[in-house]
């Protein structure tokens, strides 16, 4: 008997469908079960391999972890503050420009009768306190010198900010810290702030009832930058003792860029000329080594001097012990005998070469044959006059189509040389106005008594025009007027259209400038940075905490004389990591921090302090965004964040950066702070030019547009480029109408008569080679103690 298969019910089109349960942004339990499909978590499989500890065992394990961590901290403190350790370095920075620094130094020197107090030849005060079993080194930079203050803060373990009360009138003022104090706190905080202490000096000049109120006002002011900081008093020796006890016991803050590199503060130094007519000599610097391990084969950097090689390193006993030792000078000389630790090896020593030497024949092919030379000589008998962008070479001009070119024979009277053609082209302003700038020669400082008589009206007009251009760029970014005297395809010959700024490809190796042959590039910058940091910890060298003397080769005598005539200028030495001498394209993230300064134009000269290095450059600005392409910014507006790109030595991040602008008097004004982003020459900075047009006749989705172009040839040339409007419409050019620049365009929606049609054009821009290291070349005054051989 045949069995027939039962037919299942099939729902029709009118089948009822119930609403799904709304689970919100999360998946429902049924959805999770359907996705897992019976799979079990892998952690449950290996659960039996883990040993389950009981309550007492877990408590014992936690106590062992705490004990181990406590021992590590104690060992670290003993190494930092023991008898044979490096002294705790304190930098005293006044928060008022009228602070009496000598009064503070006299209080410090009268701290204790049993203390061993000595002053090094460079002005560093050493204090050894036997009952604390600790040593302290105190340095006081010049109040009005920003760079000297920053150098002392770079190497200090603790910064002591001192606010001085001059009279009873100071209490009635709203601001207890002047402009100098605010500037130096912001600068120290931006470059990396170690442990800090805030003290008030001469508070006894105030009434007893007003002292606490004044301390609270100082604390509320300082808390904007250093929150939850207790205010100490610095009036007596007991107050100074409390501050030193606080400096030795408080938690130390780590400054990464400083701890990754060996550094040294000069206790004493001497210069020995090589003899003869040479302007170079050997500089010997003695001090305590801090930071990481130092190798004699590595390079060092001295702010204000430059990068140098070392010949050898000597070690000697520390002449500043904790307790006083009553011994003769002969015994002291015997104990301070030096011994050589390392001698430089010529084969392993790093080179001072910072630039790559490009090969001019690298891109050449085989040598031309005789027939090619004869043919080239025949072609040289006639000259072709072309309209090309300013700065185009003869080789580049040969590849430009010569449809409208005039061929002139060398025998004719109308013959023009290439220099004359360039002079004619320069009068037509074929290149961007932004590519060139007017440099004003700095004059002598203005006399305040005759201010109105000596004012430069030309400079005032230029500043006003620059301010107008900055406001116009902020209101209408990147909009450029189409020239009417020349073709737009000639004016924007280096530009191209992109279908999508984010996803359209752009070859980073395309049309690179000649300066790219002089720089160095890493295949993977982040991986190289991690490898160098790891190798530096493992390779070893001279251990930090040693009292040593380094001998530096080929130091300029003029630079040393300029430094010798600078008062209270600390001499700081930093060890360089591998490759930090080589030149590359440095990218720095900057945030505008001064709202009083007007907008800064791209390619303006700025002064940078990147960690331990100071230099001047003319960077280009770009947006700090993700992606492979970054839009060029013509101005650095206030309250904005940009990326500055320039040719500079390689610096491995993290590394804080300070950006200054220099006025005519040579005074530096802080305008931005940030950090090093990378050293990537493949960062594509794209400049955008926006051409605008207006609808003449509108018919739903199509319109006749005018004032974008003025020649029929330009419309045909830019026909493939996509159009957009300020109201969000997209379109393209369909055809040209007439000969005066009218064109018919089609859009993806209804176009309004008040809308504006835009066309985006892009080209890649590169910085100029404007790197300029800053040296000490302007001496001011002679220090108290100086030893020159």
């Amino acid at each position: 008997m045949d069995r027939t298969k039962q037919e299942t019910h099939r729902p029709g089109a009118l089948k009822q469908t119930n609403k799904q349960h709304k689970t919100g942004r999360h998946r429902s339990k049924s959805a999770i079960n359907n996705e897992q499909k019976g799979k079990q978590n892998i952690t449950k499989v290996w659960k039996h391999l883990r040993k389950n500890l009981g309550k007492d065992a877990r408590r014992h394990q936690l106590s062992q972890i705490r004990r181990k961590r406590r021992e590590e901290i104690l060992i670290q403190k003993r190494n930092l503050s023991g008898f044979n350790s490096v002294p705790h370095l304190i930098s005293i920075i006044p928060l008022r420009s009228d602070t009496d620094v000598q009064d503070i130094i006299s209080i410090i020197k009268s701290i204790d009768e049993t203390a061993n107090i000595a002053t090094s030849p460079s002005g560093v005060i050493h204090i050894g306190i036997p009952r604390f079993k600790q040593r302290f080194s105190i340095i006081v930079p010049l109040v009005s010198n920003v760079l000297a203050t920053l150098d002392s803060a770079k190497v200090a373990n603790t910064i002591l900010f001192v606010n001085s009360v001059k009279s009873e009138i100071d209490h009635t003022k709203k601001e207890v810290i002047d402009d100098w104090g605010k500037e130096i706190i912001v600068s120290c905080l931006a470059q990396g702030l170690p442990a800090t202490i805030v003290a008030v000096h001469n508070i006894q000049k105030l009434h007893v009832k007003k002292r606490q109120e004044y301390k609270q006002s100082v604390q509320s002011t300082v808390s904007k930058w250093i929150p939850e900081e207790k205010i100490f008093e610095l009036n007596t020796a007991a107050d100074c003792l409390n501050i030193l006890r606080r400096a030795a016991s408080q938690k130390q803050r780590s400054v990464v860029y400083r701890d990754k590199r060996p550094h040294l503060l000069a206790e004493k130094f001497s210069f020995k000329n090589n003899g003869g007519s040479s302007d170079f000599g050997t500089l010997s610097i003695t001090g305590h080594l801090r930071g990481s391990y130092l190798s004699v084969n590595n390079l060092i950097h001295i702010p204000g001097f430059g990068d140098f090689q070392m010949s050898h390193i000597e070690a000697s006993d520390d002449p500043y012990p904790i307790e006083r030792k009553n011994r003769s000078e002969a015994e002291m000389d015997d104990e301070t005998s030096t011994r050589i630790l390392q001698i430089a090896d010529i084969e392993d020593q790093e080179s001072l070469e910072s630039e790559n030497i490009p090969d001019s024949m690298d891109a050449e092919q085989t040598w031309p044959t005789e027939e090619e030379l004869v043919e080239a000589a025949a072609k040289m008998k006639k000259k072709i006059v072309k309209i090309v962008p300013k700065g185009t070479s003869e080789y580049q001009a040969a590849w430009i189509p010569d449809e409208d070119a005039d061929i002139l024979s060398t025998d004719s009277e109308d013959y023009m040389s290439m220099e004359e053609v360039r002079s004619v082209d320069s009068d037509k302003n074929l290149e961007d106005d932004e590519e060139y700038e007017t440099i004003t020669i700095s004059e002598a400082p203005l006399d305040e008594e005759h201010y109105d008589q000596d004012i430069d009206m030309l400079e005032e007009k230029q500043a006003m025009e620059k301010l107008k251009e900055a406001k116009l760029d902020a209101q209408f970014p990147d909009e450029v007027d189409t020239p009417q005297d020349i073709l737009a395809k000639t004016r924007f010959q280096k530009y191209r259209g992109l279908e999508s700024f984010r996803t359209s490809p752009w070859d980073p190796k395309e049309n690179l400038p000649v300066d790219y042959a002089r720089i160095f590039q890493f295949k993977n910058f982040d991986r190289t940075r991690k490898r160098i940091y790891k190798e530096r910890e493992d390779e070893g060298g001279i251990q930090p905490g040693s009292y040593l003397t380094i001998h530096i080769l080929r130091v300029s005598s003029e630079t040393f004389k300029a430094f010798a005539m600078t008062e209270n200028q600390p001499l700081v030495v930093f060890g360089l990591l591998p490759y930090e001498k080589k030149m590359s394209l440095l990218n720095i993230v900057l945030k505008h921090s001064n709202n009083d300064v007007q907008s800064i134009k791209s390619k303006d000269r700025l002064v940078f302090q990147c960690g331990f290095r100071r230099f001047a450059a003319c960077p280009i600005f770009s947006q700090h965004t993700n992606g492979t392409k970054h839009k060029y910014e013509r101005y650095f507006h206030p309250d904005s964040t940009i990326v500055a790109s320039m040719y500079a030595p390689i610096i491995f991040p993290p590394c804080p950066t300070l950006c200054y602008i220099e006025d005519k008097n040579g005074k530096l004004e802080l305008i931005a702070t940030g950090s090093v982003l990378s050293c990537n020459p493949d960062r594509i900075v794209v400049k955008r030019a926006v051409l605008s047009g207006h609808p003449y006749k509108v018919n739903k989705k199509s319109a006749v547009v005018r004032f974008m172009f003025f020649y029929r040839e330009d419309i045909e040339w830019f026909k493939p480029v996509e159009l957009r409007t300020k109201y969000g419409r997209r379109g393209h050019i369909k055809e040209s109408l007439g000969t005066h620049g009218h064109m018919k365009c089609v859009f993806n929606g209804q176009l309004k008569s008040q809308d504006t049609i835009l066309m985006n054009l892009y080209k890649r821009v590169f910085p100029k080679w404007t790197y300029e290291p800053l040296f000490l070349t302007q001496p001011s005054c002679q220090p108290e103690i100086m030893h020159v051989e």
Side-chain angles (χ1 to χ4, degrees):
M1 185 176 181
D2 296 337
R3 294 183 180 180
T4 59
K5 185 177 181 181
Q6 184 178 0
E7 296 291 338
T8 59
H9 173 69
R10 296 181 180 178
L14 300 178
K15 176 183 178 294
Q16 177 182 355
T17 56
N18 298 326
K19 293 172 62 178
Q20 295 182 355
H21 178 68
K22 294 182 179 179
T23 59
R25 294 178 299 175
H26 306 285
R27 296 175 299 172
S28 63
K29 293 182 179 179
S30 60
I32 295 175
N33 293 331
N34 293 334
E35 289 181 3
Q36 290 182 351
K37 296 179 181 179
K39 296 178 181 178
Q40 298 295 329
N41 195 353
I42 193 171
T43 57
K44 295 181 180 179
V45 178
W46 300 95
K47 186 175 181 180
H48 65 279
L49 297 179
R50 295 201 309 264
K51 184 178 180 181
N52 295 326
L53 298 178
K55 184 177 180 180
D56 296 337
R58 290 196 304 269
R59 186 186 297 111
H60 183 62
Q61 186 182 30
L62 292 175
S63 64
Q64 287 179 336
I65 295 174
R66 288 195 299 269
R67 189 183 303 110
K68 183 179 179 182
R69 179 60 180 164
R70 190 183 299 112
E71 291 176 356
E72 292 178 356
I73 295 176
L74 289 176
I75 292 174
Q76 184 179 4
K77 284 188 175 182
R78 291 191 186 101
N79 293 334
L80 292 176
S81 59
F83 278 94
N84 298 324
S85 62
V86 61
H88 191 91
L89 183 58
I90 301 175
S91 176
I92 300 178
I93 301 178
L95 296 181
R96 295 181 64 91
S97 57
D98 55 357
T99 303
D100 189 2
V101 180
Q102 298 299 327
D103 189 16
I104 298 175
I105 295 176
S106 62
I107 296 175
I108 294 175
K109 290 185 177 180
S110 61
I111 183 173
D112 194 357
E113 295 180 355
T114 61
N116 183 16
I117 301 176
T119 303
S120 66
S122 60
V124 181
I125 303 173
H126 294 272
I127 301 176
I129 304 177
R131 55 176 173 171
F132 286 175
K133 297 181 180 181
Q134 288 179 342
R135 295 186 299 166
F136 300 92
S137 298
I138 298 175
I139 179 173
V140 184
L142 192 64
V143 176
S144 59
N145 194 338
V146 180
L147 300 181
T149 306
L150 292 179
D151 286 344
S152 65
K154 289 177 186 177
V155 295
N157 301 116
T158 302
I159 297 180
L160 176 59
F161 292 108
V162 179
N163 188 37
S164 180
V165 180
K166 300 297 292 183
S167 62
E168 186 78 19
I169 304 176
D170 292 343
H171 180 64
T172 61
K173 294 183 179 180
K174 295 182 180 179
E175 297 183 358
V176 295
I177 299 176
D178 58 3
D179 296 337
W180 158 257
K182 295 178 182 178
E183 179 185 0
I184 203 62
I185 287 181
V186 172
S187 301
C188 293
L189 187 64
Q191 80 163 1
L193 196 65
T196 57
I197 299 176
V198 181
V200 178
H201 180 56
N202 286 339
I203 198 173
Q204 69 274 9
K205 293 185 177 181
L206 298 178
H207 194 269
V208 177
K209 296 182 179 179
K210 296 181 179 180
R211 294 178 183 177
Q212 185 64 26
E213 182 182 354
Y214 185 81
K215 291 174 63 176
Q216 291 178 356
S217 62
V218 173
Q219 185 172 6
S220 62
T221 305
V222 175
S223 62
K224 299 177 183 178
W225 303 283
I226 311 173
E228 300 179 359
E229 190 67 35
K230 182 181 177 182
I231 305 299
F232 289 83
E233 294 185 6
L234 184 57
N235 300 315
T236 61
D239 296 337
C240 184
L241 202 63
N242 292 332
I243 291 175
L244 294 182
R245 186 184 293 108
R246 168 68 175 176
S249 60
Q250 69 178 350
K251 183 179 179 180
Q252 298 296 316
R253 297 178 186 172
S254 176
V255 182
V256 180
Y257 84 94
R258 183 185 68 180
D259 297 339
K260 293 290 185 181
R261 298 169 177 85
H263 54 276
L264 179 145
L265 176 64
E267 303 286 348
K268 60 181 179 179
F269 48 87
S270 61
F271 182 79
K272 183 178 181 181
N273 202 321
N274 293 334
S277 60
S278 177
D279 295 334
F280 297 92
T282 302
L283 178 63
S284 301
I285 300 177
T286 303
H288 292 91
L289 181 64
R290 294 177 171 87
S292 62
Y293 293 92
L294 176 65
S295 176
V296 71
N297 294 323
N298 295 334
L299 300 180
I300 61 171
H301 175 80
I302 306 177
F305 284 73
D307 302 332
F308 302 96
Q309 292 177 335
M310 294 178 286
S311 60
H312 62 281
I313 300 177
E314 299 176 350
S316 59
D317 296 334
D318 197 337
Y320 307 106
I322 293 180
E323 298 179 355
R324 297 178 182 176
K325 298 180 181 180
N326 298 324
R327 279 170 289 187
S328 62
E329 296 183 358
E331 293 177 351
M332 294 290 291
D333 294 338
D334 294 339
E335 289 186 358
T336 56
S337 59
T338 60
R339 58 187 182 277
I340 297 178
L341 294 180
Q342 289 183 352
I343 300 177
D345 188 358
I346 300 178
E347 297 180 356
D348 297 337
Q349 197 171 24
E350 292 190 16
S351 174
L352 288 173
E353 294 181 359
S354 60
E355 300 179 18
N356 185 24
I357 302 176
D359 187 4
S360 58
M361 301 295 293
D362 187 20
E364 294 292 334
Q365 296 180 357
T366 58
W367 189 259
T369 60
E370 295 182 359
E371 293 130 358
E372 292 176 346
L373 292 174
V374 172
E375 184 179 357
K379 289 182 179 180
M380 289 300 294
K381 293 182 180 180
K382 59 182 180 180
K383 291 288 184 179
I384 301 177
V385 179
K386 300 180 180 180
I387 299 178
V388 295
K390 186 177 180 180
T392 305
S393 63
E394 298 180 7
Y395 177 79
Q396 293 173 340
W399 290 93
I400 298 176
D402 51 349
E403 298 174 356
D404 301 331
D406 298 331
I407 300 177
L408 303 179
S409 175
T410 55
D411 300 330
S412 63
E413 298 178 356
D414 297 334
Y415 171 76
M416 296 175 63
S417 63
M418 184 56 66
E419 288 75 16
E420 294 175 350
V421 173
R422 290 175 179 171
S423 63
V424 173
D425 294 342
S426 61
D427 296 336
K428 295 183 179 181
N429 298 327
L430 300 181
E431 187 57 38
D432 297 343
D433 295 338
E434 292 83 5
E435 295 293 334
Y436 302 94
E437 56 185 0
T438 304
I439 300 177
T440 306
I441 301 177
S442 60
E443 301 176 356
L446 298 176
D447 190 1
E448 295 182 358
E449 297 180 357
H450 305 282
Y451 179 78
D452 294 334
Q453 298 178 4
D454 299 338
I455 193 170
D456 191 355
M457 293 304 299
L458 179 60
E459 183 182 357
E460 293 289 327
K461 292 181 180 179
Q462 292 177 354
M464 184 175 61
E465 292 295 332
K466 186 177 180 180
L467 183 61
K468 288 182 180 180
E469 291 177 359
K471 291 182 178 180
L472 190 64
D473 179 74
Q475 187 176 4
F476 305 101
D478 303 329
E479 289 197 17
V480 181
D481 294 334
T482 306
Q484 302 183 23
D485 53 347
I486 60 174
L487 295 176
K489 69 176 185 179
T490 304
R491 165 65 173 80
F492 302 103
Q493 186 175 10
K494 296 182 179 180
Y495 289 80
R496 69 181 69 175
L498 294 178
E499 184 178 358
S500 174
F501 182 81
R502 184 179 61 88
T503 60
S504 296
W506 196 305
D507 187 7
K509 305 298 184 182
E510 177 185 359
N511 294 332
L512 297 178
V514 182
D515 292 334
Y516 265 55
R518 302 167 57 184
I519 64 177
F520 294 83
Q521 181 181 4
F522 296 104
K523 187 175 182 180
N524 191 325
F525 179 75
D526 294 333
R527 184 172 59 190
T528 304
R529 176 178 61 88
K530 294 179 182 178
R531 177 181 58 84
I532 288 176
Y533 282 155
K534 185 177 180 181
E535 291 178 354
R536 196 60 181 264
E537 296 176 356
D538 299 337
E539 68 180 1
I542 300 178
Q543 187 176 4
S546 305
Y547 188 79
L548 47 83
T549 302
I550 58 176
H551 298 270
I552 306 170
L553 300 174
R554 292 190 60 80
V555 179
S556 174
S557 59
E558 296 181 358
T559 306
F560 179 77
K561 290 178 182 178
F563 173 80
M565 299 180 67
T566 305
E567 183 181 7
N568 292 341
Q569 177 76 27
L571 185 60
V572 181
V573 179
F574 272 89
L576 297 182
L577 298 177
Y579 310 112
E580 284 193 333
K581 174 64 178 175
K582 308 300 182 182
M583 296 291 293
S584 184
L585 190 70
L586 186 65
N587 302 310
I588 302 175
V589 181
L590 295 177
K591 179 177 176 55
H592 208 295
S593 61
N594 194 341
N595 295 329
D596 299 333
V597 180
Q598 62 181 357
S599 299
I600 304 167
K601 192 176 182 180
S602 184
K603 301 180 183 178
D604 282 351
R605 186 178 183 273
L606 301 174
V607 177
F608 294 91
Q609 175 176 292
C610 296
F612 54 89
R613 193 184 294 275
R614 283 193 294 265
F615 58 90
C618 301
I620 60 173
F621 302 142
S622 60
Q623 291 182 351
H624 183 36
T625 55
N626 295 328
T628 59
K629 295 180 289 296
H630 310 274
K631 194 178 81 67
Y632 172 82
E633 292 290 335
R634 290 178 171 84
Y635 290 91
F636 187 12
H637 297 285
D639 296 331
S640 62
T641 302
I642 54 94
V643 176
S645 302
M646 71 210 81
Y647 295 108
I650 296 172
I651 300 177
F652 291 103
C655 186
T657 302
L658 304 178
C659 181
Y660 295 89
I661 187 171
E662 188 176 4
D663 58 5
K664 295 195 306 180
N665 300 330
K667 183 180 179 181
L668 299 178
E669 185 175 2
L670 182 66
I671 60 169
T673 59
S675 60
V676 175
L677 178 63
S678 64
C679 292
N680 184 18
D682 288 342
R683 180 182 174 89
I684 301 176
V685 180
V686 178
K687 184 178 183 179
R688 184 180 67 177
V690 180
L691 306 182
S692 60
H694 301 276
Y696 180 56
K697 295 179 182 180
V698 179
N699 183 12
K700 294 184 179 180
K701 294 185 179 181
S702 64
V704 178
V705 181
R706 60 177 178 176
F707 300 151
M708 181 177 288
F709 302 109
F710 300 97
Y711 296 96
R712 187 185 185 92
E713 303 173 18
D714 294 336
I715 298 175
E716 298 295 333
W717 180 269
F718 292 100
K719 197 173 182 179
V721 183
E722 185 183 16
L723 300 176
R724 67 178 181 90
T725 67
K726 288 190 175 181
Y727 285 3
R729 297 288 183 260
R730 299 280 179 174
H732 62 276
I733 301 174
K734 187 174 182 180
E735 59 181 352
S736 61
L737 303 176
T739 59
H740 296 286
H742 289 207
M743 56 184 180
K744 186 177 181 180
C745 304
V746 180
F747 298 90
N748 60 350
Q750 176 67 39
L751 193 68
K752 297 182 179 181
S753 59
Q754 68 269 23
D755 203 350
T756 304
I757 294 88
L758 305 175
M759 176 182 288
N760 295 336
L761 301 176
Y762 303 93
K763 78 167 181 178
R764 186 178 178 183
V765 292
F766 301 92
K768 303 294 182 182
W769 195 284
T770 55
Y771 172 74
E772 178 187 352
L774 298 182
F775 297 107
L776 296 171
T777 56
Q778 296 181 357
S780 58
C781 51
Q782 183 74 19
E784 298 179 357
I785 301 176
M786 177 57 57
H787 176 64
V788 179
E789 296 181 358

